[in-house]
Amino acid sequence: MGEDFILSTEGLTKEFAGFVAVKDVNLKVRRHSIHALIGPNGAGKTTCFNLLTKFLSPSRGRITYNGQDITHAKPADIARSGMVRSFQISAVFPHLSLLENVRIALQRPLGTSFHFWKSEASLNELNSRAEELLDAVGLIDYRRHTAVELPYGRKRALEIATTLALEPEMMLLDEPMAGMGHEDIDRIADLIKRVSANRTVLMVEHNLSVVAKLSDTITVLRRGEILAEGNYETVSRNPDVIEAYMGTGNA
């Protein structure tokens, strides 16, 4: 029996007015693994993410998720299928409390996401699960604080809590460590490791120490093409990667 890949692409290509941003990418992400997508600036990482989550349509190629062809699916359908993306820029409601932020996310699977006029008593039924999620990401003591009060690293933890509220089977994390100091990086790296249990994580990340610590598999992109793939030890010793990526100073 072959390996179980939750997400795969075949010949994935995206062209913009003659410029090829992603070229013939064949990506395979194993179920229940942490898979990192890395490469120098301009390598095509974010474009690849946008193709996978259907914010862009491919020029050519095929995307399969859980055995289903999702090449032409809509972004909302992708999220409902269990593949949820967490954005590079923190996507929370700044003037709502942490509890309210997570509670709103919890409404989505119930089909009541936009029922902001629902009674307080009705919404309070979600408090227990919201508090569980905040506790899981280390934010339970801040549940009554507004999101705007949080330091940057804790905002990212809140974003992960709201992502978990959607009960994802697969999480796509877009530069989760961007803009963080060392203490926050360690905290969020540990958090990603914890929440990856029984889930699949695909992340774009520039911080190589985080990639080395968390990733089971690393795919290196250069100019929109896969340059190398493997575990960190294998990839970090690849002469082409050293020249094209690690030697550039663009971690």
Side-chain angles (χ1 to χ4, degrees):
M1 185 174 178
E3 291 185 84
D4 185 10
F5 297 108
I6 187 172
L7 179 72
S8 63
T9 69
E10 299 172 29
L12 191 63
T13 300
K14 182 63 180 177
E15 298 177 358
F16 296 98
F19 169 70
V20 182
V22 171
K23 182 179 180 182
D24 293 326
V25 167
N26 297 317
L27 182 68
K28 291 187 175 181
V29 180
R30 283 198 322 276
R31 194 179 303 275
H32 299 158
S33 71
I34 299 179
H35 193 125
L37 197 60
I38 69 172
N41 292 330
K45 303 181 298 294
T46 297
T47 301
C48 196
F49 248 41
N50 286 335
L51 291 168
L52 295 174
T53 50
K54 309 314 303 165
F55 288 89
L56 285 174
S57 296
S59 303
R60 293 186 299 281
R62 185 168 181 252
I63 307 169
T64 303
Y65 173 69
N66 263 338
Q68 301 296 314
D69 188 333
I70 62 166
T71 310
H72 303 294
K74 297 177 181 177
D77 294 333
I78 299 299
R80 278 193 289 268
S81 72
M83 185 165 72
V84 179
R85 178 178 181 175
S86 186
F87 285 87
Q88 181 178 350
I89 300 171
S90 188
V92 297
F93 295 97
H95 299 294
L96 294 182
S97 72
L98 274 60
L99 188 69
E100 289 168 329
N101 266 281
V102 178
R103 207 164 58 180
I104 287 170
L106 284 168
Q107 290 179 71
R108 182 169 178 174
L110 302 176
T112 59
S113 305
F114 304 106
H115 293 186
F116 292 101
W117 58 86
K118 286 174 73 71
S119 71
E120 185 71 14
S122 166
L123 292 177
N124 281 343
E125 294 175 7
L126 299 173
N127 282 355
S128 177
R129 178 60 179 151
E131 289 182 346
E132 285 178 15
L133 289 166
L134 288 171
D135 192 33
V137 300
L139 293 177
I140 189 63
D141 291 341
Y142 300 87
R143 62 188 177 278
R144 301 295 178 189
H145 292 230
T146 58
V148 74
E149 297 177 67
L150 293 179
Y152 186 76
R154 289 198 165 96
K155 282 181 183 174
R156 300 314 301 266
L158 174 59
E159 183 181 314
I160 290 174
T162 59
T163 302
L164 291 174
L166 302 178
E167 299 184 359
E169 185 176 7
M170 181 172 185
M171 298 173 65
L172 283 77
L173 304 179
D174 193 356
E175 297 190 27
M177 308 301 166
M180 289 189 189
H182 289 297
E183 183 180 338
D184 282 336
I185 285 173
D186 289 342
R187 182 186 298 118
I188 298 300
D190 289 342
L191 173 56
I192 291 170
K193 189 69 174 177
R194 288 203 311 274
V195 303
S196 69
N198 300 316
R199 292 186 179 87
T200 306
V201 174
L202 176 64
M203 66 177 183
V204 167
E205 182 51 55
H206 279 86
N207 187 307
L208 291 181
S209 64
V210 169
V211 169
K213 177 179 180 180
L214 293 181
S215 304
D216 301 301
T217 305
I218 299 165
T219 298
V220 185
L221 293 181
R222 178 180 64 176
R223 301 190 192 98
E225 298 183 73
I226 292 179
L227 178 64
E229 192 168 82
N231 60 26
Y232 185 79
E233 183 179 3
T234 300
V235 165
S236 64
R237 291 180 177 179
N238 185 304
D240 292 333
V241 174
I242 293 169
E243 178 186 354
Y245 180 73
M246 299 184 185
T248 66
N250 289 331

